[in-house]
Amino acid sequence: MDATDGFPVPAFAAGTTRAQAQAELRRAFAAAGIDSAALDARLLLAAALGIGPTSLFAHPDAPLDRAGAARLREYAARRLAREPIARILGEAEFWGLRFRLSPETLAPRPDTEAVVEAALAAIAPWRGPQLILDLGTGSGCILLALLSETKEAFGIGVDRSPAALATARANAQANGLADRAAFVASDWASALTGHFALIVSNPPYIRAEEIDALDPEVSRFDPLAALDGGPGGLDCYRAILSDAGRLLTPAGHIVFELGHDQTEPVADLAAEHGFAVETTRRDLGGHTRAMVLSRERALVSRGSSPT
Ligand code: GLN
C-alpha cells in the first residue's frame, strides 16, 4: 500500500472552482473513512489558498490557480495518509492560544483543556507569585495556557526532548509569555529541586501494546515518546509521583491528565505516595480526564477519626 493507503488523491484539474474542489476533497476524505471530512476539506482548501476558512463562502466560483491546486494536492495526499490537520498546518489552537507543533511534540487535544480547567480551579485562591512545574511539556500548551490566566505565576516546563523544548520556547515567545516561562531538559523531575505550588502533567499513558490500535492520526504522527506509558500505561505516573513529594509545597496540587480507564489505578498509586484525590474533571466526551491530587487532603483523611 502507498502512503495514502490506496485512496486516490484528487487531481484538481485546471479550472476547478473552489466549491468543486471542496466537494471533491470532502468526497475523497469521506471515502477514506475520515470522520471530519467536510471540515477538513474546508480547512485545507482555505489554507492552500492562503485565505480564512470563512472567505471560501464569498467566492465559491473562483477557479483555483496553479499554485493553489498544487498545494491542495499536497495537503490532500498528506491528509489521506492520515496526517492530522494540525500537523499539516503546523499549528493548533489550544485554550484560545496558537501553538506551533514539531514531530517531537504531541498535538494539543481539546480534551486536555480539562487539565487546564482543573488546575485553574485548584489554584483559584492563589495570591502573589507562585511556581508551576509542567512535566513533559511538549509544545508547552498546558503551562502556557496556565500562565496566560495567572498574571504573577512563573512556570518551568520540562521535557526530555531538546527539540520539544525549542518548540515550547518558541510558543512562549509567540504568545507573549516568555518572561514568565523557562524550559529545561530533564528526565521527569530528576534534574530539579524547588518548591512548586502546582505540578501539572499530561504524561505518556497509553499501554505500550495498545499504541498500534490507536487512530492512525495518533499512532503514525504523534511521537511515540509522548504516548508510551509502558506495559500497564502507568510508568510515568509512578516516576512523577516518586519525585512530587520533594518538589511540591505543603499546600500544593498535582494535576494529571488520565487515560479513560486510569482513574482508580492512578488514585491508588497516588495514595501510595501520600496524595489523595481532591477532584476529577471530565472531558467533552464525558471521560474522567483530569485528576487533582493534594497532600493536605491525605493528611486530613488519615488524621480524622470517624464520628
Ligand atoms: N490523549 C492522547 C490520545 O488520545 C494520549 C496522550 C498521552 O498519552 N498523554 O492518544
Side-chain angles (χ1 to χ4, degrees), residues 280-301:
T280 57
R281 202 166 190 104
R282 290 176 194 276
D283 61 23
L284 297 171
H287 296 115
T288 300
R289 186 61 63 191
M291 174 178 277
V292 179
L293 300 167
S294 67
R295 178 193 275 137
E296 274 184 335
R297 186 67 66 91
L299 293 177
V300 170
S301 53

Side-chain angles (χ1 to χ4, degrees), residues 29-298:
F29 290 165
I34 294 171
D35 289 341
S36 49
L39 176 63
D40 291 5
R42 198 159 68 238
L43 292 175
L44 291 184
L45 175 58
L49 299 178
I51 60 177
T54 49
S55 310
L56 286 174
F57 297 115
H59 302 288
D61 298 326
L64 305 191
D65 61 21
R66 203 125 54 109
R71 260 194 307 274
L72 194 55
R73 274 194 295 277
E74 184 215 317
Y75 291 171
R78 290 170 68 180
R79 187 69 191 101
L80 287 166
R82 291 304 184 126
E83 186 166 348
I85 297 286
R87 292 203 186 273
I88 297 172
L89 303 182
E91 63 176 26
E93 196 180 302
F94 179 85
W95 202 262
L97 306 172
R98 296 180 98 73
F99 291 90
R100 302 291 307 168
L101 303 183
S102 58
E104 295 77 12
T105 62
L106 200 67
R109 323 285 211 244
D111 287 345
T112 300
E113 293 187 343
V115 175
V116 177
E117 287 170 6
L120 288 174
I123 65 179
W126 268 11
R127 299 261 182 284
Q130 301 273 13
L131 276 179
I132 304 175
L133 175 62
D134 180 10
L135 293 171
T137 197
S139 65
C141 66
I142 298 177
L143 181 66
L144 295 170
L146 290 170
L147 292 178
S148 77
E149 300 282 347
T150 51
K151 301 301 169 214
E152 288 184 285
F154 186 90
I156 296 187
V158 165
D159 210 287
R160 225 168 31 179
S161 154
L165 291 168
T167 303
R169 268 185 213 113
N171 283 327
Q173 195 82 45
N175 286 295
L177 296 164
D179 56 345
R180 289 192 292 122
F183 294 93
V184 175
S186 170
D187 191 6
W188 297 120
S190 56
L192 300 183
T193 59
H195 298 282
F196 295 91
L198 176 64
I199 298 178
V200 290
S201 185
N202 173 15
Y205 54 66
I206 310 290
R207 283 179 204 92
E209 65 278 14
E210 290 178 4
I211 289 174
D212 285 345
L214 299 172
D215 287 342
E217 281 81 355
V218 177
S219 61
R220 291 183 194 170
F221 292 97
D222 277 317
L224 185 62
L227 298 172
D228 187 353
L234 300 173
D235 286 3
C236 304
Y237 297 108
R238 230 172 255 121
I240 293 169
L241 284 165
S242 63
D243 269 335
R246 70 180 176 85
L247 293 170
L248 199 67
T249 58
H253 293 91
I254 303 172
V255 184
F256 279 138
E257 176 163 329
L258 304 175
H260 66 94
D261 55 359
Q262 290 176 323
T263 312
E264 271 190 45
V266 175
D268 290 348
L269 263 183
E272 286 171 25
H273 289 87
F275 296 99
V277 179
E278 204 166 277
T279 52
T280 57
R281 202 166 190 104
R282 290 176 194 276
D283 61 23
L284 297 171
H287 296 115
T288 300
R289 186 61 63 191
M291 174 178 277
V292 179
L293 300 167
S294 67
R295 178 193 275 137
E296 274 184 335
R297 186 67 66 91

